[in-house]
Amino acid sequence: MTDNRFLDIARKRRTQYALGNDLPLGQEHVTALIQEAVRQAPSSFNSQSSRALILHGAQSVKFWDIVKDELRKIVPADAFPTTEKKIDSFAAGAGTVLFYEDQGPVKALQEQFPLYADNFPVWSEHSTGIAQYAVWMALAEAGIGASLQHYNPLPDEAVAREWNIPEGWVLRAQMPFGSHAGEIGDKTYIDDAERFVVAA
């Protein structure tokens, strides 16, 4: 297997559902780490459209309580205990990153470059995906577990009210993070022949 520092970190980045709140780094350090990862993530035309709401401790728990309240409205009562257990596992972590895309830069580029107007929303999705991966990699390198969740748009309005989210920000994903409170299973891979075409 190829030896490379980046790939070594990539192999450490795994989905961790068993989260605790005993982080190896201080809260300010974790915040700075997340901010720098988003800052360094590339975006089309350097739009820098990715935004993040970083929630620690009780603020993170409050977010997952909002999600739980919204899910309670649509999940059958007999199935809700399983759902609640899953949401509580995210709330048990040290924090959560909410990833947004600011539609302001996207619309500005559409107006500036009308020939590519249809592409900018797609490229915006690329940008947030890269930002999410960058944060996940940075957390993994720091020994912090995380997973990527997509409960939007259920909590969007309540979250926007609670944390005064600008109107143009669109929620795309949520990343609960914390200490590793359990083992992570082995990852399996599809055959290379199904994934790659190499021409030389």
Side-chain angles (χ1 to χ4, degrees), residues 90 114 169:
F90 302 143
W169 290 23

Side-chain angles (χ1 to χ4, degrees), residues 9-83:
I9 301 170
R11 294 181 192 109
K12 289 175 63 176
R13 185 224 53 82
R14 302 288 300 284
T15 294
Q16 174 60 280
Y17 290 116
L19 297 173
N21 58 15
D22 185 20
L23 293 180
L25 303 175
Q27 183 174 302
E28 290 185 4
H29 192 164
V30 173
T31 294
L33 193 69
I34 293 166
Q35 291 173 328
E36 185 65 8
V38 173
R39 187 180 294 116
Q40 295 303 328
S43 57
S44 65
F45 288 66
N46 195 31
S47 63
Q48 302 179 59
S49 55
S50 293
R51 306 287 183 264
L53 170 61
I54 306 169
L55 303 173
H56 294 280
Q59 294 295 305
S60 176
V61 173
K62 182 185 293 185
F63 167 74
W64 291 111
D65 282 343
I66 289 172
V67 173
K68 196 188 303 184
D69 288 343
E70 294 299 322
L71 286 168
R72 189 177 279 109
K73 299 174 185 176
I74 62 172
V75 176
D78 60 341
F80 190 74
T82 300
T83 297

Side-chain angles (χ1 to χ4, degrees), residues 81-186:
T82 300
T83 297
E84 184 174 35
K85 183 178 179 181
K86 185 175 184 182
I87 299 303
D88 287 346
S89 73
F90 302 143
T96 304
V97 184
L98 275 63
F99 293 92
Y100 289 83
E101 278 295 298
D102 187 349
Q103 299 309 295
V106 177
K107 292 176 181 177
L109 285 168
Q110 287 179 307
E111 293 173 1
Q112 187 177 357
F113 302 100
L115 185 63
Y116 305 118
D118 291 343
N119 296 105
F120 285 113
V122 177
W123 293 338
S124 170
E125 294 303 305
H126 297 173
S127 296
T128 188
I130 295 170
Q132 292 161 28
Y133 185 64
V135 169
W136 207 346
M137 290 278 282
L139 292 175
E141 171 62 3
I144 297 172
S147 69
L148 191 63
Q149 306 301 320
H150 300 90
Y151 286 94
N152 45 290
L154 287 176
D156 293 20
E157 291 184 12
V159 170
R161 289 193 301 270
E162 181 65 34
W163 287 285
N164 297 313
I165 301 301
E167 186 177 346
W169 290 23
V170 177
L171 184 59
R172 306 313 297 147
Q174 307 85 48
M175 184 177 290
F177 63 86
S179 52
H180 291 280
E183 296 298 319
I184 301 176
D186 292 333

